[in-house]
């Protein structure tokens, strides 16, 4: 059996000190990018495997970031979190971390999972998704000083929470603004919106972009809005109502809603979705694209800043979306 590769072997082969190898594995942010990549290449070539238990005892870090995975739902919008998770895993690996996945049904069951994971695996931090009004998870983590970042805004008290914990989000209102502006530029004056019931932070934000754009063009949204639970069936029924009300174009809060609308929209009716899912690409649906890779990288950057500083500045990142145009209005 070949001798086990040691950190000294890696340092010698890479032409660096043992401390540089250690920093590459444990504190990559202090190592120059060129050096870090060189050391990682040597580690891969030699097949070096760090003793994770020893590293955790030495540094007090597990190098684990925990995040919840949700059910796939209708198989359309569930792919959004899948893309985010892929980006998060890649960004975390570059920073020397691994992702720990868990499931939960609601805030209280997720908090119970926090307790179990902290006791069993000691993750360094959490990434929260599906943020909403009166989110119990953020208060629990803040009270216990557990590092975390939210992918999604703290909707209940945004101004206060900006100063309390870091978050990353995509500007949903800017996305529906861009979609509505494009339809108005194409000559539509009865642009309807299909969204979710009031009270959803994300849904209300996306609706606000549509309303604001109509107002900027001197148009009223009266009678041009329908809402319901996310899904193709809701999109179909809502679109039929709006078409009967005279809408010639529809902006939707999700691709699921948009695909339902597309099923019943006649010739000349323009439909725009949100999230730019693979299904939207397959059927040629224009959709608002979220930069999920950038969002994941920003989450990791904020977390590593918090973990590597005794008094990290609380901050946030709001990313602009883009419009993927596939159908002619």
């Amino acid at each position: 059996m070949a001798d086990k590769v040691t950190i000294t072997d890696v340092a010698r082969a890479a032409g660096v000190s043992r401390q540089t190898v250690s920093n590459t594995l444990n504190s990559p942010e202090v190592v120059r990018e060129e050096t870090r990549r060189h050391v990682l290449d040597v580690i891969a070539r030699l097949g070096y495997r760090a003793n994770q238990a020893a590293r955790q005892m030495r540094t007090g870090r597990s190098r684990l970031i925990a995040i919840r995975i949700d059910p796939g739902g209708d198989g359309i919008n569930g792919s959004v979190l899948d893309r985010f998770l892929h980006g998060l895993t890649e960004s975390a690996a570059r920073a020397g971390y691994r992702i720990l996945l868990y499931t939960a049904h609601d805030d209280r069951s997720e908090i119970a999972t926090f307790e179990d994971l902290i006791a069993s695996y000691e993750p360094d931090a959490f990434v929260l998704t599906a943020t909403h009004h009166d989110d119990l998870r953020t208060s629990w983590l803040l009270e216990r000083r557990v590092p975390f970042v939210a992918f999604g805004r703290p909707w209940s008290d945004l101004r206060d929470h900006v100063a309390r914990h870091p978050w990353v989000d995509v500007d949903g209102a800017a996305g529906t603004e861009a979609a509505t502006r494009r339809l108005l530029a194409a000559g539509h004056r009865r642009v309807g919106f299909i969204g979710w019931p009031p009270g959803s932070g994300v849904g209300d934000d996306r609706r606000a972009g549509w309303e604001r754009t109509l107002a900027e063009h001197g148009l009223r949204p009266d009678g041009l809005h329908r809402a319901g639970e996310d899904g193709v069936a809701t999109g179909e029924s809502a679109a039929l109502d709006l078409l009967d009300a005279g809408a010639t174009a529809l902006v939707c809060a999700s691709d699921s809603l948009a695909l339902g609308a597309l099923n019943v929209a006649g010739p000349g009716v323009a439909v725009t979705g949100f999230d730019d899912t693979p299904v939207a690409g397959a059927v040629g649906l224009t959709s608002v694209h979220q930069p999920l890779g950038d969002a994941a990288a920003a989450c990791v950057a904020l977390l590593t800043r918090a973990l590597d500083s005794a008094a990290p500045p609380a901050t946030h990142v709001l990313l602009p979306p883009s419009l993927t145009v596939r159908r002619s209005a």
Side-chain angles (χ1 to χ4, degrees):
M1 180 181 294
D3 293 337
K4 181 179 178 181
V5 178
T6 68
I7 195 171
T8 300
D9 296 329
V10 174
R12 184 182 300 114
V16 299
S17 67
R18 293 177 76 260
Q19 185 61 51
T20 297
V21 178
S22 178
N23 286 341
T24 298
L25 295 170
N26 300 309
S27 302
E29 69 282 348
V30 305
V31 182
R32 287 191 308 129
E33 180 67 11
E34 181 180 356
T35 302
R36 186 184 69 82
R37 293 192 179 204
H38 173 60
V39 172
L40 290 176
D41 287 342
V42 173
I43 286 173
R45 175 164 55 84
L46 297 181
Y48 172 72
R49 294 291 182 270
N51 186 315
Q52 185 63 29
R55 180 194 294 179
Q56 185 169 349
M57 290 181 64
R58 183 174 65 253
T59 65
R61 298 254 196 107
S62 65
R63 311 300 294 187
L64 293 174
I65 297 173
I67 181 173
R68 185 183 76 188
I69 55 173
D70 293 325
D74 59 11
I76 300 172
N77 293 317
S79 64
V80 176
L81 185 57
D82 289 345
R83 284 188 288 157
F84 176 76
L85 283 172
H86 186 83
L88 191 73
T89 301
E90 289 188 338
S91 295
R94 286 193 293 269
Y97 289 84
R98 293 293 180 265
I99 299 300
L100 176 65
L101 302 178
Y102 63 90
T103 60
H105 300 296
D106 55 28
D107 282 6
R108 295 191 183 282
S109 65
E110 189 164 357
I111 288 171
T113 303
F114 291 164
E115 294 177 317
D116 290 341
L117 291 176
I118 290 171
S120 302
Y121 299 98
E122 299 182 0
D124 290 336
F126 289 85
V127 176
L128 301 185
T129 59
T131 58
H132 54 85
H133 290 286
D134 302 318
D135 199 320
L136 301 177
R137 302 169 299 170
T138 56
S139 298
W140 192 93
L141 292 169
L142 285 167
E143 287 171 2
R144 289 155 183 80
R145 297 185 179 181
V146 177
F148 72 97
V149 62
F151 177 40
R153 275 164 275 185
W155 298 103
S156 289
D157 191 358
L158 190 57
R159 182 173 301 176
D160 178 53
H161 279 67
V162 166
R164 296 180 67 195
H165 74 77
W167 57 265
V168 175
D169 203 4
V170 176
D171 192 342
T176 50
E177 283 178 9
T180 306
R181 194 173 297 117
R182 173 179 171 270
L183 294 170
L184 293 172
H188 295 281
R189 287 297 176 268
R190 297 283 291 172
V191 180
F193 183 81
I194 304 176
W196 302 320
S200 159
V202 175
D204 292 346
D205 187 51
R206 295 180 183 181
R207 177 182 174 179
W210 163 76
E211 287 183 330
R212 185 159 56 241
T213 307
L214 290 184
E216 289 173 355
H217 287 76
L219 301 172
R220 297 176 62 85
D222 302 347
L224 290 174
H225 172 248
R226 298 292 186 275
E229 295 302 317
D230 195 41
V232 173
T234 297
E236 290 179 348
S237 60
L240 289 172
D241 284 347
L242 289 171
L243 294 174
D244 286 343
T248 64
L250 301 170
V251 175
C252 304
S254 74
D255 281 350
S256 291
L257 295 171
L259 288 166
L262 199 61
N263 287 341
V264 299
V269 176
V271 178
T272 302
F274 203 112
D275 290 327
D276 196 21
T277 59
V279 175
V283 303
L285 172 68
T286 289
S287 185
V288 177
H289 177 78
Q290 298 198 61
L292 297 173
D294 292 342
C299 284
V300 172
L302 291 180
L303 274 183
T304 54
R305 180 185 305 172
L307 292 168
D308 296 330
S309 173
T315 186
H316 68 277
V317 177
L318 186 62
L319 297 169
S322 59
L323 190 62
T324 303
V325 178
R326 297 192 181 95
R327 296 176 66 90
S328 58

